[in-house]
Amino acid sequence: MEDRWHDIDLILNRAGNLVGPGFEPGPELRDLLQSDDTRVLCVGAGGLGCEILKDLALSGFVNIDVIDMDTIDVSNLNRQFLFRPRDVGKSKALVAAERINARVSGVQVVPHHCRIEEKPAEFYKQFTVIVLGLDSLEARRYMNSVVCSFLGFEDDGSTDFSTIKPMVDGGTEGFKGHARVIYPGYTPCFECTLWLFPPQVKFPLCTLAETPRTAPHCIEYAHLILWGQVRQGEDFDADNEEHMQWVYQRALERSQQYGIPGVTYQLTQGVVKNIIPAIASTNAIISAVCVLEAIKIVTMCSPGLNNYMMYMGSQGIYTHTVAYERDPKCPICSPGVPLDVEQSMTLKEVLDKMMVDPVLSTLLKKPSVSYGSKNLYVAQGIFEADTRVNLQKTIGELVPDERPILTVNDKSLSAPMRVMLRFTDKMVM
Amino acid sequence: MEVVDKSRRYDRQIRIWGSHGQRNLENSKVALINCSATGSEVLKNLVLGGIASFCIVDNAKVTRRDLGNNFLVEHSHLGESRAKVVTALLQELNESVAGSYVEEDPSTLMSSNPAFFSNFTLVIATQVHELETVRLDELCRQMKIPLLVARSYGLVGYLRVSVPEHLVIESKPDNSVDDLRLHSPFPELLEFVNSFDLINMDDLMHQHIPFVVLLLKAAEKWRKLRDGVHSSAVPSAEATISPVCASKDRAMLKDIINGMRRQSPEGLPTDHANFDEALKAAFHVHSPPVAIPSEVQSILDDSCATQLTAESDDFWIIVSALKSFMDNEGNGQLPLQGSIPDMHALTDLYLSLQHLYRDKAEADVSHVEARVQALLKKLGRDSNSISRETVRLICRNARNLRLVRYRTLMEEFGGESSSNRGCSVLQIALHGEQSSLHEAASVYVLLRAADKFFAAYGRYPGCYDGQIEADVPALKSLTTQILNEVGATGSSVSDDCVVEMCRFGAAELHVIAAVMGGMAAQEVIKVITKQFTPAPGTLIYNGIHATMNIFYL
């Protein structure tokens, strides 16, 4: 009688020529996949997350965690197939875990109904690979910075491979999608390629206030300007039907006043909530591509994606894979953002220089600095007074090494950052 | 069971294909052959999307292998009819979808009751052997029902739509250039432009003149300077669509636009948004996009449009009317699309411009409609049989019309008649430098070879550990045979791929079934909604290197 995992075993047990580096075929490989040592985290239990969980469970993974802060909505039901009408209002993570556990015997999905920021870094450190099914740039940047904060570097700045925590990131929008593999410190991290994502277009205020021309202008006027004027003190809640109806009515009035066609309730929701159209098929494709890469990461059974695949399904079917390169100065995944200083500069002067550096100034507000385990200056809290004295000491005195890597912490950062000091007044042999 | 408001449930997809597209889906009945992992995944996506009903044809029982790769079965169902189990679990996903099944061998059903398939809007065949898909394709073509074929095999997959002709009015491409006619402005547009006195208007107005006006004023100056001609005659479409515009001419236009800016009190040129928009749109004047895209020209020239009969599809009658419109009132151009993008402008000016384009587009619709009615009369058909709404839809989408024709599977797989086309496509891929294309072509040939292997030996290559080594050369020689059959003698597939194919042992992995299931469902939706463009050939998915390629075979 054939085993349940017969199909997976065919790929894991047999040698081949088109395999990943270090692939060792044999039954031990599935044992590894299913051991307590192999844990996978699925970030998100929505359109991608439901598919990812199913794909992981039916690929032999046993220890799976899923994290999502959202609750189920009716509009999810066209693609988030683990949820039923009776589940509306419940936690996505909890229901998703329950359904997968019930359907696939032996799998253990552990749900976490909370924000990703609420988990400490140590939580994320326990996973072998992390698969992202997110719908926002901010959430991706956060996960990216956490995973990159685990990186260790050798003295020569090269990555300590044992500290790499691989991540697979998927995203979809209508018929389009992408899947990418991130080995922090080796392939580009999310921050290295931030330029891939153009800034969201916002309507100029004068257009909204004085020269509206289209239905979205009327809607955003009601949402962003009129609400604040008329319903002072009340935070606008896009999930509150009364709030949405109010915006719709005011938008409609404005459009009628100006003779602008096209304001509907559906458009109002779309503009205010920035709704991204979504269908089951694209989510299914991208999630499966991501999970296949996760399987490859853990087992090496096939060559991995290098490293960013775009999918376009509206006109025919088309994919394009690019091997993006790391940004050697990336503030998140490089050994350190370089900063040229003189040994004779005081710590305060070094901090000031950080605040005018083109890269660092965008990320920092009130930085604290440490060198290894030694706090050089703590900007806030009880240690501020103690470390204040260091501000007047020279950096050469505080950090006597050749190319010291400082760890910079700041409230505005999601994880500590590295800055590598280059002494311009010192001869480096 | 709770009933959910459909407009809320399907909101996220209605925003893509509209309620008319959704209606098509909700009226469609789909047949699925084989509900192993691949078939189950296709149907899962379609059920979630809201098809009217499905019927599964499969006589297998649920085995332990199904538990390992199929989400639509449960442990408690071991030994039961797989079709019955999958049907029940699919129905849980959407209470509006009706499901049924036939516990029969699909092959037998094709012989004993071919009329069965005539009940459906579309048939999906998964994990079906090549010989059987050819039979099924013949049947579906006879019944004029679209067929979709999908296959998961190890880390690779195959996908193919098969229908004689698929017409798309609303292809909705991601990037479409606005149809502003700035290279050959129509009289009403010129009249509007000429009503503005840019020199004497106040500053506020000047900053809020739509870029269309600025650009046309600049274009007039530009033509006079460039051609040295003192003429204000409207250039005809042919005259202005000239070969690539010289960079010095482009720079001249840019300078003219910038020269029209007002100056700030300090004497510097202002940077108002409407002028920036005019610069960005300058290509409309100096390097306009081709008036008739090649895909549309092919449709206009197609024999279906030039040789109308009373039985011709409405689409071809309208296309024929489009053609004669272009030869007359259209001046070589398709009907005006009618929409304009948002642009920095006073509300009233923008709305006036918007109405102007809309009215002109509607006037073009009237001309086309008149020609449609003349054709209907000539063909002896009722002049009310084609609505103005339909004519308008085609006029608005004229620049994005798509026509896809698919050869039969017999033509793709068999015999001499296919050899020229398949041969050259595969030869080019297998002799070329591009490794991903080479690998995809190898996979295509190997999938066919695997089916030949099965036909010869009653099993798939590499399905037993002990025989992999012997199976490799046997499979390789079958690929040589196939390449000879299609006339590509001298080409050969990658040896690494032959080994890999045997390694797969015809495994049906869930992740590959999910990828193929997603793509198959996507293509089915395109065929049913008649929106967006289906993949126009045979798709090979290669999960080894995460690539997808389409072959026209």
Side-chain angles (χ1 to χ4, degrees), chain B residues 366-441:
Chain B
S366 295
H367 288 305
V368 176
E369 189 188 22
R371 293 186 176 276
V372 167
Q373 293 189 331
L375 283 169
L376 285 172
K377 196 165 167 194
K378 200 168 111 183
L379 294 169
R381 277 186 49 182
D382 173 12
S383 65
N384 287 325
S385 62
I386 296 181
S387 69
R388 187 181 172 90
E389 206 182 303
T390 308
V391 175
R392 185 185 294 114
L393 189 69
I394 291 189
C395 286
R396 284 189 67 86
N397 287 283
R399 280 135 80 245
N400 298 319
L401 300 175
R402 292 288 180 269
L403 163 64
V404 189
R405 291 196 171 110
Y406 296 90
R407 302 211 304 165
T408 65
L409 291 180
M410 172 65 107
E411 284 171 319
E412 178 178 330
F413 294 145
E416 286 303 310
S417 63
S418 72
S419 65
N420 285 337
R421 184 152 141 181
C423 158
S424 52
V425 167
L426 290 174
Q427 266 184 333
I428 289 167
L430 290 173
H431 287 273
E433 294 293 312
Q434 213 194 73
S435 65
S436 68
L437 196 61
H438 191 288
E439 203 166 270

Side-chain angles (χ1 to χ4, degrees), chain B residues 191-382:
Chain B
E191 203 183 304
F192 182 76
V193 170
N194 290 336
S195 69
F196 293 95
D197 177 2
L198 284 185
I199 310 295
N200 293 316
M201 65 175 55
D202 66 65
D203 282 343
L204 185 70
M205 182 89 148
H206 197 263
Q207 288 171 33
H208 288 94
I209 294 291
F211 81 78
V212 164
V213 174
L214 300 176
L215 196 43
L216 283 172
K217 292 247 186 219
E220 199 188 324
K221 282 199 191 101
W222 181 66
R223 281 199 192 91
K224 287 181 187 164
L225 275 174
R226 196 189 58 166
D227 304 335
V229 170
H230 284 276
S231 161
S232 56
V234 176
S236 73
E238 289 85 15
T240 50
I241 297 167
S242 48
V244 179
C245 179
S247 69
K248 70 167 170 59
D249 287 337
R250 295 203 298 272
M252 195 196 313
L253 180 58
K254 184 176 166 189
D255 288 341
I256 292 171
I257 295 167
N258 279 324
M260 286 160 62
R261 292 182 193 265
R262 293 234 170 126
Q263 293 191 338
S264 69
E266 297 80 22
L268 298 164
T270 50
D271 64 348
H272 295 126
N274 55 345
F275 281 88
D276 296 338
E277 286 170 354
L279 286 171
K280 260 176 117 171
F283 73 90
H284 279 276
V285 172
H286 65 63
S287 313
V290 133
I292 321 289
S294 59
E295 296 97 325
V296 180
Q297 191 63 57
S298 309
I299 292 172
L300 293 170
D301 295 338
D302 196 281
S303 58
C304 287
T306 57
Q307 293 160 27
L308 292 177
T309 70
E311 284 74 43
S312 289
D313 193 298
D314 293 354
F315 177 87
W316 293 114
I317 296 176
I318 300 175
V319 165
S320 181
L322 271 182
K323 228 182 151 164
S324 62
F325 163 82
M326 284 169 63
D327 291 337
N328 293 285
E329 304 94 353
N331 273 320
Q333 299 258 37
L334 290 163
L336 184 67
Q337 203 273 331
S339 309
I340 59 171
D342 186 29
M343 58 190 78
H344 217 79
L346 290 176
T347 307
D348 289 342
L349 297 182
Y350 179 81
L351 292 177
S352 299
L353 192 64
Q354 194 177 54
H355 289 144
L356 206 143
Y357 275 86
R358 235 172 251 180
D359 290 346
K360 175 71 175 171
E362 198 61 20
D364 284 355
V365 171
S366 295
H367 288 305
V368 176
E369 189 188 22
R371 293 186 176 276
V372 167
Q373 293 189 331
L375 283 169
L376 285 172
K377 196 165 167 194
K378 200 168 111 183
L379 294 169
R381 277 186 49 182
D382 173 12

Side-chain angles (χ1 to χ4, degrees), chain A residues 117-143:
Chain A
E117 295 87 349
E118 286 173 55
K119 293 289 194 191
E122 291 69 53
F123 169 75
Y124 296 106
K125 214 167 188 177
Q126 62 190 323
F127 298 102
T128 316
V129 59
I130 298 177
V131 183
L132 306 183
L134 292 165
D135 60 0
S136 81
L137 198 70
E138 296 72 33
R140 287 186 175 92
R141 284 182 86 178
Y142 180 81
M143 285 307 307

Side-chain angles (χ1 to χ4, degrees), chain A residues 121-389:
Chain A
E122 291 69 53
F123 169 75
Y124 296 106
K125 214 167 188 177
Q126 62 190 323
F127 298 102
T128 316
V129 59
I130 298 177
V131 183
L132 306 183
L134 292 165
D135 60 0
S136 81
L137 198 70
E138 296 72 33
R140 287 186 175 92
R141 284 182 86 178
Y142 180 81
M143 285 307 307
N144 183 69
S145 66
V146 168
V147 157
C148 289
S149 71
F150 301 143
L151 278 176
F153 298 93
E154 313 290 2
D155 290 336
D156 64 355
S158 63
T159 306
D160 174 2
F161 277 27
S162 70
T163 63
I164 294 180
K165 175 95 41 214
M167 214 162 52
V168 185
D169 170 54
T172 64
E173 186 174 331
F175 286 106
K176 292 197 273 214
H178 80 265
R180 71 189 295 186
V181 174
I182 296 178
Y183 281 101
Y186 184 60
T187 67
C189 79
F190 195 75
E191 204 80 6
C192 291
T193 56
L194 205 56
W195 50 267
L196 279 171
F197 300 90
Q200 228 188 358
V201 176
K202 293 206 192 306
F203 300 126
L205 217 53
C206 56
T207 300
L208 299 185
E210 276 136 47
T211 57
R213 295 174 295 271
T214 66
H217 294 161
C218 300
I219 292 164
E220 288 288 63
Y221 171 80
H223 168 220
L224 300 174
I225 297 178
L226 207 53
W227 177 277
Q229 286 172 357
V230 174
R231 295 179 70 145
Q232 286 182 15
E234 262 186 281
D235 279 336
F236 176 79
D237 177 8
D239 293 321
N240 181 322
E241 176 134 5
E242 191 273 315
H243 290 197
M244 193 63 81
Q245 281 286 353
W246 188 95
V247 166
Y248 165 61
Q249 289 301 333
R250 298 295 169 291
L252 194 59
E253 278 165 26
R254 187 167 177 81
S255 75
Q256 284 161 351
Q257 187 193 335
Y258 280 87
I260 295 169
V263 173
T264 62
Y265 188 67
Q266 198 208 25
L267 184 66
T268 304
Q269 287 180 308
V271 169
V272 170
K273 289 179 165 182
N274 195 25
I275 290 177
I276 296 172
I279 43 182
S281 50
T282 320
N283 282 340
I285 297 162
I286 294 298
S287 303
V289 169
C290 287
V291 172
L292 175 57
E293 291 304 314
I295 296 168
K296 293 179 188 182
I297 286 169
V298 175
T299 66
M300 293 292 148
C301 66
S302 194
L305 168 67
N306 182 22
N307 49 63
Y308 193 111
M309 183 198 89
M310 282 163 261
Y311 173 86
M312 280 139 293
S314 81
Q315 309 304 315
I317 291 176
Y318 177 70
T319 62
H320 181 59
T321 301
V322 183
Y324 286 117
E325 290 185 356
R326 270 179 83 202
D327 175 3
K329 296 215 194 85
C330 177
I332 305 298
C333 77
S334 71
V337 179
L339 188 72
D340 289 337
V341 298
E342 281 150 36
Q343 284 191 290
S344 52
M345 283 166 76
T346 63
L347 178 60
K348 173 147 198 333
E349 284 169 329
V350 170
L351 287 175
D352 288 343
K353 191 153 193 211
M354 278 188 209
M355 295 311 292
V356 300
D357 178 87
V359 171
L360 295 171
S361 60
T362 64
L363 299 162
L364 304 172
K365 288 202 165 58
K366 223 178 159 176
S368 304
V369 183
S370 54
Y371 180 62
S373 56
K374 178 176 160 198
N375 276 332
L376 297 180
Y377 177 63
V378 181
Q380 285 170 326
I382 50 173
F383 295 114
E384 200 280 324
D386 289 341
T387 53
R388 201 183 306 158
V389 62

Side-chain angles (χ1 to χ4, degrees), chain B residues 17-78:
Chain B
W17 48 70
S19 36
H20 59 297
Q22 185 61 29
R23 212 163 26 241
N24 280 14
L25 265 183
E26 290 182 34
N27 288 334
S28 56
K29 302 189 285 191
V30 164
L32 172 73
I33 310 243
N34 291 329
C35 57
S36 62
T38 308
S40 299
E41 283 294 306
V42 182
L43 268 194
K44 159 189 138 278
N45 297 324
L46 292 173
V47 166
L48 288 169
I51 53 175
S53 68
F54 64 87
C55 181
I56 300 176
V57 181
D58 191 340
N59 67 343
K61 304 289 185 198
V62 176
T63 64
R64 292 183 60 76
R65 263 179 95 165
D66 292 313
L67 297 181
N69 69 4
N70 194 337
F71 193 74
L72 280 311
V73 300
E74 263 169 6
H75 192 270
S76 58
H77 300 136
L78 267 175

Side-chain angles (χ1 to χ4, degrees), chain B residues 99 130-131 177 251 269 325 354 365 370 443-444 465 483 491:
Chain B
E130 177 180 304
L131 294 171
V177 179
F325 163 82
Q354 194 177 54
V365 171
V443 165
Y444 173 81
D465 287 346
L483 288 167
S491 305

